[in-house]
Amino acid sequence: MKTILECKNLTKRYGRTQALSGINLSLKAGRIIGLLGPNGSGKTTMIKLINGLLTPTGGEILIDGMAPGVKTKSIVSYLPERTYLDESMRITEAIDYFEDFYKDFDRKKAMKMLEKVNLNPALRIKTLSKGNKEKVQLILVMSRRAKLYCLDEPIAGVDPAARDYILSTIINNYEPDATILISTHLISDVENILDEVVFIQNGHIRMQEEVKTIRDKEGKSVDDLFREVFKC
């Protein structure tokens, strides 16, 4: 399988705070991968580095063989932890924006997903519940034909029904040869859709393993192993 993301001795500091420390990581195409760790472990920093929102202090990060930049933004679809949409916009205006900005955006796909959850595209985003705002943003992100989807805490703070919809949308609407990287600390909710996990703590990779291997060799769920490793 082709390598879609590679980190070589990747380091990021904020002043005296070391957020990432010499990360070496390789992720293959066509996988759903969990970037799992407690709050403050470096997950969001990693996601922001992938998306070119931060610059490494040291080392190297490559997406499809390229350093983060204009070209990689065209193949990476990013769902941030906090919404960035202008809440005065109507849903259809947000769709127009994505269609104008991203050549790989599939408008028909977005409209079909909105219809499935009975969301009127004429509604203003500010009138939506938190769960529906999350759904709209996810629909926009997953309607791109990207090579790498980076989803930062996509199910945090939403009710169980919204979580089920979000996870279903993720697994049913990405390109088959693409990679999805899901950053979360809610392990039990996502582990059934994951092919592989990366455990991160205090800016260090603790382990990288296939979910099937964890279940076969360790005889436990990813959530149980996570709790053991991180002593939750």
Side-chain angles (χ1 to χ4, degrees):
M1 287 184 288
K2 183 179 180 181
T3 297
I4 188 65
L5 174 69
E6 189 168 13
C7 301
K8 301 176 182 178
N9 201 31
L10 181 65
T11 300
K12 180 61 184 178
R13 290 192 299 272
Y14 301 103
R16 295 183 179 180
T17 302
Q18 189 90 351
L20 295 178
S21 303
I23 297 290
N24 290 293
L25 183 66
S26 180
L27 302 182
K28 301 296 184 182
R31 313 280 284 160
I32 301 180
I33 301 166
L35 181 63
L36 312 179
N39 290 327
S41 59
K43 301 188 302 295
T44 294
T45 295
M46 173 73 77
I47 296 288
K48 287 183 175 180
L49 285 165
I50 293 169
N51 285 277
L53 300 175
L54 295 173
T55 302
T57 305
E60 186 177 29
I61 183 168
L62 300 173
I63 298 105
D64 203 24
M66 301 176 285
V70 175
K71 288 186 177 180
T72 62
K73 288 181 186 298
S74 69
I75 62 172
V76 178
S77 193
Y78 171 45
L79 179 73
E81 184 179 8
R82 295 179 177 85
T83 183
Y84 58 86
L85 298 174
D86 180 349
E87 296 205 348
S88 68
M89 297 173 80
R90 298 184 188 278
I91 297 173
T92 188
E93 291 173 331
I95 289 173
D96 291 342
Y97 175 80
F98 264 67
E99 188 174 33
D100 287 343
F101 202 78
Y102 298 109
K103 292 181 180 179
D104 63 358
F105 185 76
D106 187 335
R107 186 185 188 92
K108 288 183 179 179
K109 187 176 184 180
M111 296 301 287
K112 186 176 181 180
M113 283 193 277
L114 284 172
E115 184 180 356
K116 188 174 181 180
V117 291
N118 297 314
L119 277 175
N120 183 348
L123 291 173
R124 293 194 184 276
I125 293 170
K126 65 182 178 183
T127 68
L128 304 177
S129 66
K130 178 177 174 58
N132 280 337
K133 287 177 184 177
E134 295 284 349
K135 289 176 185 177
V136 168
Q137 187 161 279
L138 183 69
I139 285 169
L140 293 170
V141 168
M142 298 308 297
S143 292
R144 289 185 56 197
R145 295 183 295 276
K147 289 186 177 181
L148 176 62
Y149 298 84
C150 291
L151 313 179
D152 194 2
E153 297 286 358
I155 58 173
V158 297
D159 61 65
R163 287 185 187 181
D164 289 344
Y165 172 78
I166 287 168
L167 294 175
S168 174
T169 299
I170 290 170
I171 62 176
N172 291 314
N173 291 282
Y174 75 102
E175 296 298 296
D177 58 347
T179 293
I180 299 180
L181 182 63
I182 303 175
S183 162
T184 188
H185 62 282
L186 301 171
I187 318 303
S188 62
D189 291 295
V190 302
E191 72 166 280
N192 286 336
I193 73 169
L194 301 178
D195 298 308
E196 182 181 336
V197 295
V198 176
F199 285 1
I200 184 170
Q201 184 180 36
N202 299 326
H204 296 272
I205 300 296
R206 292 290 302 272
M207 67 173 289
Q208 179 180 7
E209 191 58 87
E210 298 273 337
V211 169
K212 186 178 185 302
T213 300
I214 290 172
R215 290 172 179 157
D216 290 347
K217 289 190 176 180
E218 301 289 339
K220 59 187 68 174
S221 68
V222 173
D223 186 48
D224 287 341
L225 182 61
F226 181 89
R227 291 174 183 275
E228 181 180 299
V229 170
F230 296 103
K231 299 295 188 291
C232 295

